[in-house]
Amino acid sequence: MIKNIDHLGIAVRSLDEAISYYEQALGLSCNGREEVPSQKVRTAFFTAGDVHLELLEPTSADSPIAKFLEKHGEGLHHVAFATDDITEQLQKASKAGCRLLQETPLEGAGGKLTAFLHPKSTHGVLTEFCSMKTRNETESIPK
Amino acid sequence: MIKNIDHLGIAVRSLDEAISYYEQALGLSCNGREEVPSQKVRTAFFTAGDVHLELLEPTSADSPIAKFLEKHGEGLHHVAFATDDITEQLQKASKAGCRLLQETPLEGAGGKLTAFLHPKSTHGVLTEFCSMKTRNETESIPK
């Protein structure tokens, strides 16, 4: 079951310039930065209520975010829904005809499991599910 | 000050088909539908945690949503931040160099005041502020 929106991913060309915008124009505080080599991005985090905003700057030309920027320009990239059972959530989406970008959830930062649905099967919204790992999932999913 | 994300606006070609996706693939329940003649859209609402998802289907070819669909296809359209003082929030954004689509907040559904920032001045994210009306604002803003 979907519990809430965990975060919004936002593609930007320059993390420094975008951080300055979110701080000065919106009055939000940056919670931290992180580089994610596997995704070829640098990220910066903000919080609004219980939703995180995740700014994403590509670190190389073949980063998925670089390709997004080339095609669409800066802007909203994905929505991540927190779920209490990511496997059940993926099964439900698959049964409803969604194209899964991962059949098995990937291990993400902070002990989370994540998986994406292709936007062509979700009315244009790149959709992520994420959940905290359970003991069984920790044992069965390769690191 | 920004309190939380009030809603995400999502542009869709067919409200019926998108409602079916959000219900069947995500397991969310539709809270209701509404037609907004001033924006030339039909909307349907879902809730995830304390954030609303607002699906937007154009009712005519000159609707802003029809133009968005023509240019970008279906997908994430805008993010609305709830603020306790929309006038102060707009002043802060303007001072930081943002282009305001409304100098004065508009009266929206459910007794709310709303105003948008142009995405060219917000790193590509069409950004809405919304707040509940105060007594003074109710008196000074034309209906």
Side-chain angles (χ1 to χ4, degrees):
Chain A
M1 200 179 78
I2 284 174
K3 296 189 296 181
N4 55 276
I5 293 179
D6 182 81
H7 67 267
L8 298 180
I10 299 170
V12 302
R13 295 192 195 282
S14 159
L15 215 50
D16 287 338
E17 288 178 19
I19 288 171
S20 173
Y21 160 71
Y22 280 88
E23 287 182 340
Q24 290 176 31
L26 298 191
L28 299 174
S29 300
C30 182
N31 300 331
R33 296 179 181 223
E34 190 180 332
E35 184 158 341
V36 187
S38 64
Q39 293 294 311
K40 299 178 181 172
V41 291
R42 273 187 286 269
T43 67
F45 304 95
F46 291 81
T47 307
D50 64 355
V51 177
H52 301 292
L53 303 178
E54 184 179 308
L55 307 184
L56 302 158
E57 178 201 68
T59 54
S60 88
D62 62 343
S63 159
I65 296 299
K67 290 171 190 165
F68 179 90
L69 287 169
E70 195 178 320
K71 192 169 176 187
H72 304 283
E74 292 187 312
L76 292 164
H77 180 260
H78 69 270
V79 179
F81 293 98
T83 168
D84 49 9
D85 187 334
I86 194 167
T87 304
E88 181 198 43
Q89 200 70 48
L90 285 171
Q91 284 169 348
K92 188 196 289 275
S94 177
K95 199 172 162 189
C98 291
R99 182 173 150 202
L100 313 186
L101 290 178
Q102 291 87 28
E103 290 290 333
T104 307
L106 301 175
E107 190 157 342
K112 281 186 183 170
L113 296 174
T114 71
F116 283 86
L117 307 181
H118 195 290
K120 283 197 177 167
S121 65
T122 63
H123 292 270
V125 178
L126 177 57
T127 299
E128 179 180 357
F129 295 139
C130 60
S131 72
M132 295 309 291
K133 277 180 302 200
T134 64
R135 187 178 182 83
N136 284 344
E137 286 168 333
T138 305
E139 287 163 0
S140 64
I141 292 169
K143 290 187 180 180
Chain B
M1 199 178 77
I2 284 173
K3 297 189 295 182
N4 56 275
I5 293 179
D6 183 81
H7 66 269
L8 298 179
I10 299 170
V12 302
R13 294 192 195 282
S14 158
L15 214 51
D16 288 339
E17 287 178 19
I19 288 171
S20 173
Y21 159 72
Y22 281 88
E23 287 181 340
Q24 290 176 30
L26 298 191
L28 299 174
S29 300
C30 183
N31 300 331
R33 297 181 182 221
E34 189 180 333
E35 184 159 341
V36 186
S38 63
Q39 293 293 313
K40 299 177 182 172
V41 292
R42 271 187 288 269
T43 67
F45 304 95
F46 292 81
T47 307
D50 64 355
V51 177
H52 301 292
L53 304 177
E54 184 180 308
L55 307 184
L56 302 158
E57 178 200 69
T59 54
S60 87
D62 62 344
S63 159
I65 295 300
K67 290 171 191 165
F68 180 90
L69 288 169
E70 196 178 319
K71 192 169 176 188
H72 305 282
E74 291 187 314
L76 293 164
H77 179 261
H78 70 271
V79 179
F81 293 98
T83 169
D84 48 9
D85 187 335
I86 194 167
T87 305
E88 179 199 44
Q89 200 69 50
L90 285 171
Q91 283 169 348
K92 188 196 291 275
S94 178
K95 199 173 162 188
C98 291
R99 183 172 149 202
L100 313 186
L101 289 178
Q102 291 86 28
E103 291 290 333
T104 307
L106 301 174
E107 191 157 343
K112 281 185 183 169
L113 296 175
T114 71
F116 283 86
L117 307 181
H118 195 290
K120 283 198 178 165
S121 66
T122 63
H123 292 268
V125 177
L126 178 57
T127 298
E128 179 180 357
F129 295 138
C130 61
S131 72
M132 296 308 291
K133 276 179 302 196
T134 64
R135 187 178 182 83
N136 284 345
E137 285 168 334
T138 305
E139 286 164 0
S140 65
I141 292 169
K143 290 189 180 178

